[in-house]
Amino acid sequence: MRPTVLAAALLLAAPAFAADDAANKLAQDAIIVDTHIDAPGGLMSHWAELGKDAAKFEFDYPKARKGGLDVAFMSIYTSAKQDGEGTAWQTANEMIDAVEALAARNPDKFALLRSPQDVDKLRQGGRVLLPLGMENGAPIGDDLSQLKFFFDRGVRYITLAHSAANRIADSSYGIERKWHGLSPFGKRVVAEMNRLGIMVDVSHISDESAKETIALSKTPVIASHSAFRHFTPDFERNISDELAKAVAAKGGVVQIPFGTAFVDPKGAANTQAHFRAINEFNKRNAELKAAGKPLESEDEFDKAWAEAHPPPQTKIDAVLDQIDYAVKLIGVDHVGVGSDFDGVDGELPDGLRTVADYPNFVAGLQARGYKDADIRKILGGNLLRVWTAVEAAATR
């Protein structure tokens, strides 16, 4: 490669905002809350000690401390396929066990977090706190008592559905809509989550389901990792202006993800197409299985898809643009961060590759004129306010 081309390539790869002393200082001093990190799913497929540097993971203790991360919601994710196979409950419990074991092995580095009231006490000594967020309500099945079971295990928000309709709600990815809102059981789920003090999460669900959820909930709701559809008009997975305003009016917060699948229009189009292709793949295999014929290879499907759909190269500006838009639309008190680290196969903007990079995000906000007090709200203050309100309503 010629020197001039190499220099241009390095310039393109460099983050638009590199953290300076002021950004690093604020990142370390502020309480940073990230509502969506998929490390537990990674541990299920390739275990690592996250108390040490783990090269295959975007979240681990050294990276978290470098970035200033204080509260990392561990995503307890189960798929629509696991729901159909009846393994979602088992998988969810295994992931929770993995998070508990991580904290038990490293009591000086991690602590489980069950209440926002315990943040200041538990983060003393540089601990990273690990509350749980359940991505997809599938593990509760059709048994309302499972909400109390998972609350007792530490789950503090539940994303009602994921990539397909379940017993609770419709998915934004689904072509056909089963409930056109919440199911009768889903309405009871929302009410019970309010009673227990579990935050209701409207990320991933259809517009109809989200609208009914927001109206029905007696406490503020969150979108744990949803970018704005304004930038990706045909991508229902991202939140509409109307729904974002409804979340804010209820006192809730929209948590912005970092993945290019959400913040980049091309990435969003690829993601939408991918989920539809997966649904068709699963249908074909179901038909082949019923006919007693050999199944198509999932590995070959994944390889062919990746080769045909390379991820777009995205800059940190795409995330900062999301923040700017959100603040103007719904106000700085209703915006936060839900990165989706370890959940997007490394498809992340330059400058936001791991949890060590929050200072770059802070530097970007400072460069765009945000006051430190407002940056603190975005980094975690807003989410902690909502969580506190949900917990207090349950206590009443």
Side-chain angles (χ1 to χ4, degrees):
M1 184 179 290
R2 290 175 297 178
T4 53
V5 177
L6 175 60
L10 291 173
L11 180 62
L12 180 65
F17 302 98
D20 55 14
D21 289 344
N24 277 303
K25 182 178 179 181
L26 181 55
Q28 292 297 328
D29 187 62
I31 298 177
I32 298 181
V33 180
D34 191 326
T35 46
H36 201 84
I37 295 177
D38 274 296
L43 291 174
M44 295 297 101
S45 57
H46 47 273
W47 187 89
E49 176 51 82
L50 299 185
K52 301 177 181 178
D53 183 59
K56 290 185 178 181
F57 284 80
E58 290 148 8
F59 168 84
D60 60 38
Y61 183 79
K63 296 186 188 80
R65 292 318 309 145
K66 182 179 179 181
L69 177 61
D70 298 283
V71 179
F73 273 82
M74 296 285 100
S75 177
I76 306 304
Y77 162 70
T78 55
S79 68
K81 182 180 179 181
Q82 289 166 329
D83 189 14
E85 294 171 344
T87 60
W89 186 88
Q90 177 72 22
T91 301
N93 279 290
E94 288 174 357
M95 287 187 180
I96 295 172
D97 286 350
V99 176
E100 290 179 342
L102 173 63
R105 287 194 309 273
N106 301 277
D108 57 330
K109 297 176 180 177
F110 297 110
L112 303 174
L113 181 64
R114 304 294 183 90
S115 168
Q117 308 304 321
D118 295 332
V119 170
D120 287 338
K121 174 182 67 177
L122 292 178
R123 74 185 184 115
Q124 295 301 315
R127 292 184 187 88
V128 176
L129 309 185
L130 306 177
L132 305 178
M134 178 177 282
E135 187 178 22
N136 192 0
I140 72 170
D142 55 7
D143 182 355
L144 206 64
S145 71
Q146 289 298 312
L147 288 169
K148 177 63 162 57
F149 171 81
F150 282 113
F151 176 84
D152 289 344
R153 294 220 64 187
V155 170
R156 290 301 180 267
Y157 79 71
I158 297 177
T159 315
L160 299 183
H162 190 255
S163 60
N166 59 15
R167 299 166 187 81
I168 300 168
D170 290 329
S171 166
S172 62
Y173 290 125
I175 297 174
E176 297 178 1
R177 302 300 158 91
K178 183 176 183 179
W179 304 112
H180 294 285
L182 293 172
S183 70
F185 178 65
K187 295 174 185 178
R188 295 171 62 205
V189 167
V190 170
E192 181 67 357
M193 288 172 68
N194 287 169
R195 188 188 75 81
L196 290 169
I198 302 174
M199 290 180 283
V200 180
D201 178 19
V202 298
S203 288
H204 275 291
I205 62 177
S206 71
D207 285 0
E208 291 175 305
S209 294
K211 184 176 181 180
E212 187 167 12
T213 298
I214 297 165
L216 183 63
S217 178
K218 297 183 182 301
T219 64
V221 305
I222 67 170
S224 67
H225 58 307
S226 288
F228 279 80
R229 200 179 305 164
H230 167 81
F231 298 92
T232 57
D234 298 323
F235 191 42
E236 191 177 350
R237 166 65 180 85
N238 279 342
I239 196 166
S240 70
D241 286 6
E242 177 188 2
L243 289 173
K245 289 177 180 178
V247 169
K250 200 87 178 188
V253 62
V254 177
Q255 304 285 101
I256 305 298
F258 296 163
T260 57
F262 310 111
V263 302
D264 186 292
K266 183 178 179 181
N270 284 347
T271 301
Q272 182 89 315
H274 188 219
F275 273 100
R276 289 178 177 173
I278 289 173
N279 286 338
E280 291 302 316
F281 173 84
N282 288 335
K283 286 181 182 178
R284 290 196 304 272
N285 268 348
E287 292 170 357
L288 291 170
K289 185 177 181 180
K293 296 180 180 179
L295 303 184
E296 294 181 22
S297 168
E298 188 171 345
D299 289 340
E300 289 181 7
F301 169 85
D302 290 340
K303 182 180 179 182
W305 180 270
E307 290 175 351
H309 300 84
Q313 296 298 310
T314 308
K315 294 183 179 181
I316 193 174
D317 301 79
V319 176
L320 298 171
D321 289 346
Q322 294 274 345
I323 299 291
D324 284 346
Y325 186 81
V327 169
K328 290 176 183 177
L329 182 72
I330 59 177
V332 74
D333 292 325
H334 303 284
V335 184
V337 173
S339 66
D340 216 349
F341 280 131
D342 287 312
V344 290
D345 294 325
E347 296 182 12
L348 292 154
D350 293 329
L352 288 176
R353 298 291 188 181
T354 76
V355 296
D357 292 333
Y358 298 110
N360 293 338
F361 176 66
V362 172
L365 294 176
Q366 290 174 330
R368 293 194 176 200
Y370 286 87
K371 297 178 181 178
D372 284 2
D374 286 339
I375 294 174
R376 289 175 183 270
K377 291 180 180 181
I378 294 168
L379 290 176
N382 291 334
L383 189 282
L384 291 177
R385 183 198 75 241
V386 170
W387 188 4
T388 299
V390 171
E391 183 179 82
T395 302
R396 287 197 301 271

